[in-house]
Amino acid sequence: MCVLERREITVPPHLAHGTNGALGVPSSAVLLFELELLQLQKGVPEGFLFIWLQKSPEPLFPVIDMNQDQEVPLEEFSAFIMLQVAEGRGRIHPGIDSDTVLKDMFKNQDLNTDGKISEDELNITVNEEDKVPIHEEL
């Protein structure tokens, strides 16, 4: 579909509620949905919550640790990620509440579950093809 395009979707009874019906839907009802695509958002690759649209800062930890106290709590982490999104340097997973995404990203990095990320916990992997460090989730 294209943005602002409209379509009608017909769902036959055997693919909908069948002969049992549902609350407010009679048995053997044909369902008709009228859809309009209002907006199309670019996503992120499957399995990712955040992607960089530009090269990530190197080294990353001192940039995330905005108050330079050698630990990054959820609030500081969230502020950093949302700043990257607002400035067009990163994209967060659409279709999921951003607070939920940020909490999941933080949980993935907070390996010892102490409520803060240290430099040692920041998860970095290497792309085997290019031998280039890649920050998972970041």
Side-chain angles (χ1 to χ4, degrees):
M1 285 181 71
C2 298
V3 175
L4 300 179
E5 182 179 347
R6 293 176 184 230
R7 290 201 182 170
E8 288 187 356
I9 307 294
T10 304
V11 182
H14 69 280
L15 295 177
H17 296 290
T19 57
N20 298 330
L23 184 61
V25 179
S27 64
S28 299
V30 174
L31 303 180
L32 177 64
F33 295 94
E34 294 179 358
L35 307 175
E36 181 178 1
L37 181 60
L38 299 175
Q39 180 182 9
L40 186 63
Q41 292 182 332
K42 290 186 177 182
V44 296
E46 188 174 332
F48 286 81
L49 298 172
F50 174 86
I51 60 168
W52 288 101
L53 299 176
Q54 301 173 3
K55 189 171 173 74
S56 66
E58 292 292 335
L60 184 58
F61 187 80
V63 180
I64 293 176
D65 185 17
M66 299 192 303
N67 64 3
Q68 304 303 307
D69 65 353
Q70 302 305 308
E71 56 187 32
V72 179
L74 175 60
E75 297 77 23
E76 192 173 9
F77 179 81
S78 297
F80 173 77
I81 295 297
M82 293 311 291
L83 179 65
Q84 304 314 301
V85 172
E87 294 181 352
R89 292 192 291 260
R91 182 180 305 136
I92 201 164
H93 193 296
I96 302 175
D97 176 57
S98 62
D99 288 338
T100 302
V101 170
L102 293 167
K103 286 176 185 171
D104 286 349
M105 290 173 63
F106 184 82
K107 182 179 163 190
N108 290 340
Q109 297 298 322
D110 184 18
L111 301 178
N112 64 5
T113 64
D114 64 351
K116 53 188 178 269
I117 300 170
S118 66
E119 189 165 10
D120 294 336
E121 290 177 298
L122 195 60
N123 193 4
I124 299 175
T125 60
V126 174
N127 181 343
E128 294 299 324
E129 294 173 9
D130 302 331
K131 301 291 184 202
V132 175
I134 296 176
H135 300 281
E136 284 188 10
E137 299 294 339
L138 299 175

